[in-house]
Amino acid sequence: MSNQPPPWPGQQPPAYQQPPAYQRYPGAYGEQYYYAMADQPKPLSIASLVCGIASVIMGWLLVPQVAAIITGHLGLRREPGGRGLSIAGLIMGYLFLLGYGALWLLLLIGLAVFRAETYYSA
């Protein structure tokens, strides 16, 4: 006995469904497995990001900013998988180069003005 209710008058009873003829089980012989490829290393992109972060602390040297900019542009060209890291390093490198460059420029101008005032007043 089935648990299905009887059909309404004028309706056909449901047709008998046969089970599938053959069912494949995972891991059968001859089945190939496809693995995802490992990510490519991104040393230039990582170096750009690290130099960009280092420019926050050691930015008065102006060396980390230049290194972040150079490695960021090289990383964009050579490593498409590290695009986000390269862009982050480039943004930090350019921003801190502009900021610390302006600071150095104001410092030099201030020193020049200070020397000129002390030279002429003596």
Side-chain angles (χ1 to χ4, degrees), residues 38-116:
D39 287 338
Q40 296 293 327
K42 308 177 226 6
L44 290 172
S45 302
I46 293 171
S48 174
L49 182 65
V50 168
C51 289
I53 293 170
S55 66
V56 174
I57 300 167
M58 301 183 337
W60 50 274
L61 292 173
L62 299 179
V63 173
Q65 291 94 324
V66 174
I69 291 169
I70 291 172
T71 56
H73 282 290
L74 287 174
L76 279 177
R77 178 171 291 182
R78 296 182 187 174
E79 301 168 353
R83 184 171 173 83
L85 299 173
S86 295
I87 290 174
L90 281 171
I91 289 172
M92 285 191 283
Y94 278 121
L95 284 178
F96 289 114
L97 181 66
L98 182 68
Y100 281 112
L103 183 70
W104 273 106
L105 185 64
L106 288 175
L107 181 69
L108 291 176
I109 290 173
L111 286 174
V113 169
F114 177 74
R115 285 189 147 210

Side-chain angles (χ1 to χ4, degrees), residues 112-122:
V113 169
F114 177 74
R115 285 189 147 210
E117 286 179 2
T118 58
Y119 179 74
Y120 289 121
S121 66

Side-chain angles (χ1 to χ4, degrees), residues 4-15:
Q4 295 180 358
W8 290 91
Q11 287 186 342
Q12 297 289 330

